[in-house]
Amino acid sequence: MSLQREKNAAKAFSERAGVKLVSLLVSIIAINIIGSYLFKRFDLTSEKRYSLSPTTIDLINNLDDVVYVKVYLEGNFPADFKRLRNKTKEMLDEFRAYGKNKIEYEFINPSANPDKKQREKLYRQLAKQGLQPTTYKLNEKEGAVENTIFPGAIVYFREKEMPLQLLKSRMGTAPVEMLNNSIEDLEYEISNTIRKLSENKNDKIAFVQGHGELSKAYVADIAGALSEYYIVDTVVINARLNSLDNFKAIIIAKPNSAFDEKDKFIIDQFVMRGGKILWLVDGCEASMDSLQNTNATLGMPVDVNIADQLFKYGVRINTNVIQDLRAAEIPAPTGYVGNQIQWGLQPWLFFPLIIPTSEHPVVRNLNAIRTEFISSIDTVGAKGLKKTILLASSKYSRTLPTPVKVGLEILVNKPDEAMFNKAYEPVAVLLEGEFESVFTNRIPPSIQLNKEIDFKEKSVANKMIVISDGDIIKNKYKVETGEVFPLGYDIYTDQTFGNKNFILNCLNYLCDDSGLISVRARELKIRLLDKKKVAKQRLQWQLLNVALPVVLIIIFGIIQTILRKRRYAK
């Protein structure tokens, strides 16, 4: 009887196990079938680092063809670059998860070819396509070896291609922080590249001419960059009421002659109807060309008859000039060797380098921005408007009223730091809200009621950016050869500052209806180990990690043995 009971029990156990196995298989199949129709991802990280923004998801879902990404961040390189490589792959996996068959990618090692000539040929090709190489030293058995990598990608869509730089350099930033900034911007950079390749350009923007603004040659580089997003044109207002009707935004870049009231009125009504403006207006006019033949020149105040208009919109550009101890360098005499003058690079205090500190998406994680004879900006009145300081001078700066002497002696004499006591002077301001017309109660009723003019006293919700230096948008230009240098490129130090990205971000923020630029505001925190605590508690953590699992297994085995003895004893 006892044997029969054991057989029955074993049979019942086997049947129950079979039922459970079948149920499990059916459940797995059912989940997979349901999962093929329903899509949901769960991100349990505090900063949602594995979640794409709704704007990015909409962009991917609206693609009508495949985006192919060739990432050249592969090979044997330091841990920091491996981290960037892994995060890039994770981000592309997120894009592919939402885009399904619309996003494809591959990782390529540009240094894999053992043939040196073929490697260098590929390097030249990648540089020609727009990727910037980076060199690093890797410790091998035979010593330190210098290698070249291209921390970037080429993105393809139909017959078009575009470079995507994954590693973003930033002056004065530690390598770990710079890497983290690059990782933070991955979603925006990839999305923005896809957007430029896939979306049709419908919005028109224009550089205003007719008031001594920068000519086409001096805005050629930024105009080319903006043409990837918009239809770029120039416009002369010339008192024509409808001259700005077809434009979403206008750029007023470094005017040097007065605006008449008719042109101001047309610009004002452009704002009232929702038009966006990027103002780049000098408060001080000075020229480095004058210093080629003399040791000093004068910086003079600039008045182009728009002070009242900007005041009504909430800002005042002061007629002064900022000197800053954090400044761009220019060649200057450093001494004599025999009868020969020795030249070297010295900080030119009239050319402040503005390092963005704001977390606003327009300037977040940007490289330093080069300025020339920049003035300070005050925010004033204008109730109901939100005013955001985008750029400001450093902690060690000061303002000088115009007229001001601009002399080369400051390159020789060490400045007194105690005199640089005006910290963080605003130089770029974002204004958002409903603007009031500067012409309210200033025009005759007959004109105000004219249907053709259709005068508006208050704007719809709108925004504009005011910058107190026209040279921020000005690229270098060789008149003799017609060569245009990249915006922000410094011919003396052979480095490129963040001017171009800043201007692009300004226009994208002003014109961005999709909200894509808001993706740049996301923050991924670096969770680094405390090195001092690691050194102090190294032994106890090693013992804990090595010994604790062994102790737990021994305890589990003892408990299991005791329970089995009790069960079989019964």
Side-chain angles (χ1 to χ4, degrees), residues 240-253:
R240 292 177 293 120
L241 287 175
N242 61 351
S243 57
L244 303 180
D245 286 357
N246 297 323
F247 300 108
K248 187 165 188 176
I250 58 173
I251 303 169
I252 299 176

Side-chain angles (χ1 to χ4, degrees), residues 38 111 153 165 174 183 208 226 246 269 313 354 366 444 465 472 511 518:
L38 299 177
S111 303
Q165 199 68 29
I183 292 172
V208 172
L226 287 169
N246 297 323
Q269 291 301 293
Y313 298 155
I354 309 297
L366 282 185
I465 294 175
I472 280 182
C511 298
S518 63

